[in-house]
Amino acid sequence: MESRHHVVSRRLATQAMFFTGMGLCIAPGIALAQSEAFDPARPFTWQTLLRNARELSTQPFTAPAVAVQAATEFDAFGALAYGKAKRFGKSIRLFPAARNIAEKPVELHHLANGMARKLIDQTGMFVGEENRQPAGFRVMRDTGDADWLAFLGASYFRTSGQENQYGLSARAVAIDTALADEEEFPAFTAFWIEEHGPDHVQIYALLDGPSLTGACSFDCRLTDDGVEQDAQISLFLRRSVERLGIAPLTSMFWYDQKGPKADWRPEVHDSDGLVVHFGSGERIWRPLVVPTSARTTSFKADNLRGFGLLQRDRHFEDYQDDGAFYNRRPSLWVKPLSDWGKGQVILYEMPTESETQDNVVAFWVADEAPKPGKQHDVAYRLHWTSEEPDADVQARCVDSFEGPAGRPGAPGDKNARKYIFDFQGPTLLGKTRQSGITAITDLPSEAVSALAAYPVVGKVATWRVMLDLRQTVARNPEFRFIWPTEPRY
């Protein structure tokens, strides 16, 4: 899953990592404590992992070897990964190493009561009796018919969210994303997995790469409103890094209702926008696009309250896809659990001609560059959900459209473009044209030929912003609602 500029093949990786519904029953197996597949138990703590990561950072980086036995085709990978096989713990199933998907094996340890046992024999843990090397794992639902959490490839991981449908992904760290030089992809090399029940798993991971090492902790919980993961990550740099991305999110956006259709489906995307909640309380919504060339957008975000890539459009008729189910794919929200200080949220968008490539990345970068030889700690909560992540949202953009400028039915203004944004929220309930609500934009006044805000007839608590924008200004402007008592949305 390593590639220049982070264009990841989704046809192989996504289908292989997160295919569901192929008879994923957990077969009975011998008790873990008596299994000869594991070595003797050894003490393990978070401090143990921190010490290992710190010591590893003082040594030259050694790239892990490619698995000796690796599936070469997606079908072969699926045949090994899905079906009846031994268990790793009570609810853990393994992914085999596979070329073009995840070629490098990982160490796996089962953790219980502070004691860890390393997996040393994978015989029977994949379909057939071959002793394949594992490249990752997934956590099964208690019904045994699907998984809700998976780690596979570099430092990537995903959950199926609130509607049991995989979509976008997260990773532990991003290094030099969207810069001229090649992006670096450090990888998880070892995991310690502690099961607290089918809906609660504690995962520890050792991260290693040319520029840094890391100790990572993920407290993962499957709840009624999605999956929550409390992440604690400590990084140790081997060398200076120009851009260290914190809490990176990776998604796919091909097209929506605003752009030309690439096939018969009305829309195809895992996420349709970026939300940033600033320390000041202001909250912005930035629709995603497919640029003609790679594009970076930054948002100054000191004392960040949160950010995320969201899938707001959740109507099946807007996608008409009864296989990929884009309407069910989760949004992912990042909430800092400490003060991250001064920094910015960066959004990187790349061209794509297919839904099989991840072409959107979002992450936070501190203003002060991290220094080698020091420990850099960060803590945050990931929430994979179908709901709007922040409960205190006053109003939010729920739809957007684009077309010729000017009055409908009249000749269009060829030198301008019309943008329509619909907002909904409790603050708008009962408001009328006499309530003093207006729309503002940070665009220069000479760029705006028309701007209006008004309630949408027949829709409860819905207001529409209509903007005519001269074509000399970049696409996708940002908007805020202003009303007398609550100067934010």
Side-chain angles (χ1 to χ4, degrees), residues 32-322:
L32 181 67
Q34 299 174 355
S35 174
E36 296 180 356
F38 295 83
D39 70 0
R42 298 179 182 179
F44 175 86
T45 66
W46 170 248
Q47 293 302 320
T48 302
L49 184 57
L50 278 176
R51 183 173 61 253
N52 291 345
R54 184 183 297 109
E55 292 177 354
L56 185 60
S57 69
T58 65
Q59 304 170 15
F61 172 70
T62 301
V66 174
V68 176
Q69 288 183 307
T72 57
E73 302 289 344
F74 169 69
D75 289 343
F77 175 90
L80 288 170
Y82 302 105
K84 293 182 179 180
K86 284 184 182 179
R87 61 188 180 181
F88 176 93
K90 296 180 179 179
S91 58
I92 309 299
R93 301 290 298 277
L94 305 186
F95 288 117
R99 294 186 178 90
N100 300 319
I101 298 174
E103 300 180 344
K104 299 171 183 177
V106 296
E107 287 187 8
L108 294 172
H109 305 78
H110 191 275
L111 179 63
N113 301 318
M115 303 297 290
R117 302 189 66 188
K118 178 182 175 181
L119 179 66
I120 56 176
D121 184 359
Q122 296 81 231
T123 301
M125 291 194 173
F126 304 108
V127 175
E129 291 300 320
E130 294 180 278
N131 188 7
R132 296 271 180 169
Q133 293 175 282
F137 63 92
R138 55 201 174 105
V139 183
M140 306 300 296
R141 292 177 179 267
D142 56 1
T143 57
D145 61 354
D147 49 1
W148 61 273
L149 172 65
F151 283 70
L152 179 65
S155 67
Y156 287 87
F157 56 96
R158 300 186 186 192
T159 90
S160 58
Q162 196 168 355
E163 298 182 69
N164 195 21
Q165 181 66 54
Y166 284 100
L168 79 170
S169 62
R171 48 181 164 144
V173 68
I175 298 179
D176 293 341
T177 303
L179 297 180
D181 294 334
E182 188 168 351
E183 183 176 3
E184 180 182 321
F185 290 85
F188 292 134
T189 59
F191 292 96
W192 291 259
I193 306 170
E194 186 173 16
E195 299 173 276
H196 298 292
D199 298 338
H200 186 190
V201 180
Q202 175 71 50
I203 298 166
Y204 300 96
L206 179 64
L207 184 70
D208 193 16
S211 296
L212 55 72
T213 66
C216 306
S217 168
F218 302 97
D219 187 2
C220 311
R221 303 173 299 278
L222 176 62
T223 70
D224 291 339
D225 62 349
V227 177
E228 287 189 347
Q229 294 176 290
D230 286 348
Q232 182 178 354
I233 299 177
S234 297
L235 301 174
F236 303 89
L237 272 64
R238 285 190 169 103
R239 62 191 185 193
S240 297
V241 172
E242 183 174 353
R243 176 178 287 169
L244 182 63
I246 300 300
L249 315 179
T250 302
S251 192
M252 179 276 296
F253 180 90
W254 193 10
Y255 62 91
D256 64 5
Q257 78 276 13
K258 299 188 299 297
K261 297 179 182 178
D263 69 7
W264 61 272
R265 293 166 294 177
E267 301 183 39
V268 177
H269 50 78
D270 280 346
S271 308
D272 51 11
L274 169 74
V275 169
V276 182
H277 196 176
F278 298 97
S280 63
E282 184 181 10
R283 178 184 173 97
I284 67 164
W285 163 256
R286 162 61 156 77
L288 298 179
V289 298
V290 175
T292 55
S293 59
R295 182 170 71 182
T296 301
T297 307
S298 61
F299 305 86
K300 184 61 177 171
D302 298 342
N303 311 117
L304 179 71
R305 294 191 183 186
F307 75 97
L309 291 175
L310 307 190
Q311 183 77 318
R312 278 184 168 172
D313 188 344
R314 313 205 70 82
H315 303 290
F316 174 80
E317 57 269 21
D318 293 338
Y319 303 94
Q320 293 295 336
D321 195 321
D322 58 353

Side-chain angles (χ1 to χ4, degrees), residues 323-343:
F325 292 106
Y326 289 107
N327 57 299
R328 299 179 185 175
R329 302 206 169 196
S331 298
L332 179 50
W333 185 251
V334 179
K335 179 181 179 180
L337 296 180
S338 60
D339 186 357
W340 287 6
K342 296 183 177 180

